[in-house]
Amino acid sequence: LASGRCQLAMGNFAAGGAALSRLLESKNSERRREARLHQARLLRQSGQYSEALSALEGQHDPRAEHERVIALAGGGRLKQALALTDSLIANGDTTRSWDSVVIALAEDHPAAASLLVDRVRRLPNRSDQAEVRMLLEDGFRLVDVHPDRARRQFREAMKAGVAGEAAGRASLALVKLDLRRVNRPQELQPIADTLRRLVDRADLGSEETARLS
């Protein structure tokens, strides 16, 4: 099992699959369950979403359910993925591993991952700092693929962060998005005013801010 995990971590799916396949017939039920979970992950990472879901049938521990969410969303069944997320959260799944679910989904499906962020950002065991970080990371992933939603996430980060470096980073990200939409010279003045305010903020002190100004 360790060998299969190692091969998967290195992106060697063929060798990882070969190592896991031997364990699927193990007499040890725990090893079989672990092998199926990692096999599902391998299938999902290689784009075989339906096969990954088949490998997860009968498994309902939190790791398997999280993997199922990613496979559903990756296979285009976003409504089902979000419905499962809502069900898991309603039943008390507030584990920190939701962060890794978001990151894994965002690798290939940033827009879908952003919808997941909306659901998990305010889980009861999350700190304000964790919520702001999640919103910022989500916004940065969306800048090139969904700029309007990125703008929304940066604004949410500013509200959640209130002040401090995170709020400053969100403000700067919004300025950069505004610069993309400039068509006339007169549209630069409000952006320049915002930049000046950011430069004066002691909690930001960004070299990039000064460069943009």
Side-chain angles (χ1 to χ4, degrees), residues 3 40 58 76 78 151 202:
S3 173
L78 184 56
R151 188 182 303 276

Side-chain angles (χ1 to χ4, degrees), residues 26-40:
S26 172
K27 294 180 181 180
N28 185 305
S29 60
E30 180 63 27
R31 286 193 171 189
R32 288 199 307 272
R33 184 166 59 249
E34 281 292 308
R36 286 182 61 198
L37 176 63
H38 288 285
Q39 181 193 41

Side-chain angles (χ1 to χ4, degrees), residues 2-16 45:
S3 173
R5 287 174 176 170
C6 183
Q7 294 295 339
L8 289 179
M10 294 188 297
N12 192 340
F13 295 153
Q45 289 174 334

Side-chain angles (χ1 to χ4, degrees), residues 2-213:
S3 173
R5 287 174 176 170
C6 183
Q7 294 295 339
L8 289 179
M10 294 188 297
N12 192 340
F13 295 153
L20 292 172
S21 63
R22 292 192 293 270
L23 292 171
L24 292 173
E25 305 301 325
S26 172
K27 294 180 181 180
N28 185 305
S29 60
E30 180 63 27
R31 286 193 171 189
R32 288 199 307 272
R33 184 166 59 249
E34 281 292 308
R36 286 182 61 198
L37 176 63
H38 288 285
Q39 181 193 41
R41 186 168 298 154
L42 181 154
L43 290 166
R44 186 259 302 167
Q45 289 174 334
S46 59
Q48 300 178 69
Y49 300 111
S50 296
E51 291 83 353
L53 290 168
S54 295
L56 290 167
E57 286 181 3
Q59 297 200 61
H60 298 287
D61 65 88
R63 291 182 303 157
E65 295 288 28
H66 292 176
E67 191 63 40
R68 188 173 283 111
V69 167
I70 303 170
L72 284 168
R77 298 159 66 179
L78 184 56
K79 286 185 179 180
Q80 289 174 263
L82 295 176
L84 176 56
T85 300
D86 291 338
S87 175
L88 293 171
I89 291 174
N91 286 313
D93 184 351
T94 59
T95 60
R96 291 187 178 275
S97 55
W98 279 112
D99 287 27
S100 61
V101 176
V102 169
I103 292 169
L105 182 56
E107 289 179 1
D108 296 309
H109 307 280
S114 185
L115 296 176
L116 189 60
V117 166
D118 288 345
R119 284 161 164 75
V120 304
R121 54 177 278 210
R122 292 196 177 113
L123 290 176
N125 62 339
R126 299 188 70 84
S127 65
D128 291 342
Q129 292 87 345
E131 179 185 358
V132 172
R133 185 183 68 251
M134 178 172 274
L135 286 165
L136 277 174
E137 291 172 352
D138 191 42
F140 290 132
R141 286 191 296 262
L142 293 169
V143 162
D144 293 321
V145 296
H146 202 325
D148 289 340
R149 186 167 178 83
R151 188 182 303 276
R152 176 198 157 192
Q153 298 301 71
F154 290 138
R155 286 181 177 140
E156 287 294 309
M158 289 174 65
K159 285 193 290 185
V162 183
E165 182 183 355
R169 289 180 64 200
S171 298
L172 180 57
L174 283 171
V175 167
K176 293 170 76 172
L177 283 173
D178 287 340
L179 282 170
R180 291 185 176 197
R181 301 198 303 186
V182 168
N183 293 313
R184 296 176 297 173
Q186 53 266 42
E187 294 173 346
L188 287 169
Q189 188 56 52
I191 298 175
D193 293 341
T194 300
L195 278 171
R196 274 193 288 272
R197 289 193 296 271
L198 288 174
V199 169
D200 291 339
R201 286 177 58 160
D203 56 5
L204 188 57
S206 170
E207 201 174 289
E208 186 176 8
T209 306
R211 186 166 62 250
L212 284 173
S213 63

